[in-house]
Amino acid sequence: PVGEDAGGDAAGGEAAGAEGGGADGGGADGGGGEEAAGGGGAAAAAAGPPGPVGEVEGGLQLKACDGECCRLDIFHDGAFGSICDDSVTQVTAGIACRQLGFASEGASVQVGGSGYGGSGTTPGTGAIWLDELRCAGTEETIFDCPHNPWGNHNCIHAEDL
């Protein structure tokens, strides 16, 4: 899950989970488990998101926000799908928040670790597009981070980021 301390608006839909923001104004501190990365802090930059948002290849959107936690979905092959929390670190949070147009300072996400709902996010349905997301911090977008081939995963939706 990705969220935002300041609870700013998210581009491309609702919001996604850790400590970055969502369109519904929800921040997030997620649940227990490993930590991943996300953006937090200030509202979206005046110039808009620097990376793809919404229904474009690699575009992000925040979904299923409950005011505290949101799921991060990514667009691929004509549909949104989820991102598995396997191998996700705090670095991923900063990249996701920057891509969505949020400040990345202090960004963090909570992921389920062993899965099964531990992340505090509402599990998605449909495709799980990315697994083993290994961002180094130099990537401009989540799409640029090394990962398993699209749709190749060993996850269930309870492990959604």
Side-chain angles (χ1 to χ4, degrees):
V2 178
E4 179 175 346
D5 294 336
D9 290 338
E14 293 178 52
E19 292 192 359
D24 62 358
D29 60 7
E34 318 173 37
E35 293 181 3
V53 173
E55 294 184 9
V56 296
E57 189 66 21
L60 298 180
Q61 81 175 353
L62 300 171
K63 292 295 289 182
C65 297
D66 66 6
E68 206 173 280
C69 192
C70 304
R71 185 180 68 251
L72 183 65
D73 286 352
I74 191 164
F75 195 80
H76 174 67
D77 201 22
F80 277 102
S82 57
I83 300 171
C84 184
D85 65 12
D86 293 353
S87 298
V88 171
T89 68
Q90 290 297 342
V91 172
T92 309
I95 295 167
C97 285
R98 282 192 308 270
Q99 182 173 343
L100 287 164
F102 296 111
S104 60
E105 185 176 329
S108 67
V109 306
Q110 296 287 327
V111 298
S114 60
Y116 309 102
S119 65
T121 189
T122 301
T125 59
I128 297 175
W129 283 132
L130 295 180
D131 188 16
E132 300 298 335
L133 191 61
R134 298 171 302 280
C135 300
T138 56
E139 300 86 357
E140 300 230 353
T141 70
I142 294 296
F143 185 74
D144 299 327
C145 297
H147 52 77
N148 284 359
W150 288 96
N152 182 356
H153 65 86
N154 62 350
C155 304
I156 60 172
H157 281 295
E159 296 175 84
D160 287 349
L161 183 64

